Amino acid sequence: MKPLEIEVFICRSDNYGVLVHDPETSLTACIDAPEAAPILAAATRRGWDITHILTTHHHTDHVEGNLALKEQFGCVIIGPVNEAVAIPGLDRAVGDGDSFEFGGHTVNVIETPGHTAGHVCYHFEDDKLLFSADTLFALGCGRLFERPATDMWHSLQKLAVLPDETAIYFGHEYTLSNARFAVTIDPDNERLKSRAADIEVLRAEGKFTIPTTLALEKETNPFLRAADPSIRRNLLMESRSNEEVFAEIRKRKDNF
């Protein structure tokens, strides 16, 4: 089986647009649809017809292009069952534990409430790819708009058990801000400090920070590291639960 081809580009101001193309079947999935024009441009550039939109959650900056792309390509829109009424043009609602085929590739649905109530991530298990949208970012996680910190912590734990080599494609280019914040939470983490310095250079050169890997996030992302003794000492929260430590980190990022 030929590997999937992935095209990454910027939509709106800081959304990532992602096209996933199966060269054996010519199927092409758009991961969310932040806006139609740059997605159409990317598809045209690659000579791909969009056959699917895999929607992660209902926020406008992830679904605004749904109907225009559906009109253009007649693509099938798949999205979270717990937000089905809010996904424009939805054809198929999926929930936690569901799976479906994309060409010869199995896609597993992981429900990750926190940023929104019904947010889902798409895991291409055999390809070791995760499309995490606004649940897990490079060095960050999504703001908590519709569910409490406890729910988001448990959602992140569902992602943390995936294979370390999983490549993670996230929804926004927030990595520089996330890196600057992360070192305030985990100042003794040498791997984090080295990564933060690299990110400063990448962004100064206008380069993307996507994808990341789960192994790298587990080493450096404070939102996955609430159990780490060094972080707990730094926050003066050695005796608190992981959920409480995570909530404190999220609160501090909100005010960073």
Side-chain angles (χ1 to χ4, degrees):
M1 183 181 296
K2 294 180 180 178
L4 294 169
E5 299 174 24
I6 299 178
E7 179 79 6
V8 178
F9 48 95
I10 291 292
C11 295
R12 305 170 76 92
S13 61
D14 56 32
N15 283 73
Y16 274 122
V18 180
L19 296 179
V20 182
H21 179 75
D22 178 16
E24 293 195 353
T25 62
S26 295
L27 297 179
T28 301
C30 183
I31 309 298
D32 288 327
E35 61 173 332
I39 296 170
L40 286 168
T44 300
R45 183 169 63 250
R46 296 300 301 264
W48 298 342
D49 288 338
I50 297 172
T51 57
H52 297 75
I53 299 175
L54 306 187
T55 302
T56 62
H57 65 291
H58 69 84
H59 284 166
T60 300
D61 64 327
H62 290 258
V63 301
E64 188 177 80
N66 277 21
L67 296 182
L69 293 174
K70 188 166 190 172
E71 182 177 358
Q72 175 85 11
F73 295 105
C75 49
V76 174
I77 299 178
I78 298 172
V81 65
N82 287 329
E83 298 181 4
V85 297
I87 307 299
L90 184 70
D91 295 296
R92 179 177 177 184
V94 293
D96 195 47
D98 288 344
S99 63
F100 57 90
E101 294 299 308
F102 177 75
H105 306 261
T106 299
V107 184
N108 297 323
V109 180
I110 305 172
E111 193 168 73
T112 56
H115 182 66
T116 65
H119 194 297
V120 298
C121 300
Y122 296 99
H123 180 219
F124 288 62
E125 182 175 4
D126 294 335
D127 305 276
K128 296 182 172 59
L129 297 172
L130 176 70
F131 298 95
S132 62
D134 289 8
T135 294
L136 178 63
F137 297 123
L139 292 173
C141 76
R143 284 181 177 265
L144 307 179
F145 289 123
E146 297 180 9
R147 284 293 183 268
T150 297
D151 286 1
M152 179 64 102
W153 172 252
H154 290 296
S155 292
L156 292 173
Q157 297 317 292
K158 292 166 74 172
L159 303 183
V161 299
L162 298 177
D164 280 353
E165 62 270 29
T166 302
I168 300 170
Y169 288 82
F170 43 91
H172 291 270
E173 180 50 73
Y174 293 158
T175 312
L176 182 58
S177 174
N178 288 345
R180 291 171 176 173
F181 170 73
V183 296
T184 72
I185 298 297
D186 197 8
D188 301 321
N189 187 331
E190 295 300 323
R191 183 69 183 88
L192 169 59
K193 288 189 283 188
S194 175
R195 185 184 182 192
D198 291 343
I199 289 165
E200 292 278 353
V201 173
L202 283 173
R203 294 307 296 148
E205 296 175 349
K207 295 179 180 177
F208 295 164
T209 62
I210 191 172
T212 182
T213 66
L214 185 57
L216 185 55
E217 294 311 307
K218 287 162 70 173
E219 289 182 321
T220 57
N221 187 332
F223 294 99
L224 294 179
R225 293 168 52 77
D228 183 79
S230 179
I231 289 177
R232 287 168 163 270
R233 284 194 300 271
N234 185 52
L235 297 177
L236 304 178
M237 298 183 73
E238 289 102 322
S239 64
R240 308 300 286 273
S241 70
N242 290 336
E243 292 87 347
E244 289 172 311
V245 175
F246 170 80
E248 177 64 19
I249 297 170
R250 184 62 258 178
K251 184 173 74 172
R252 291 189 183 206
K253 181 61 170 69
D254 290 344
N255 297 303
F256 182 71

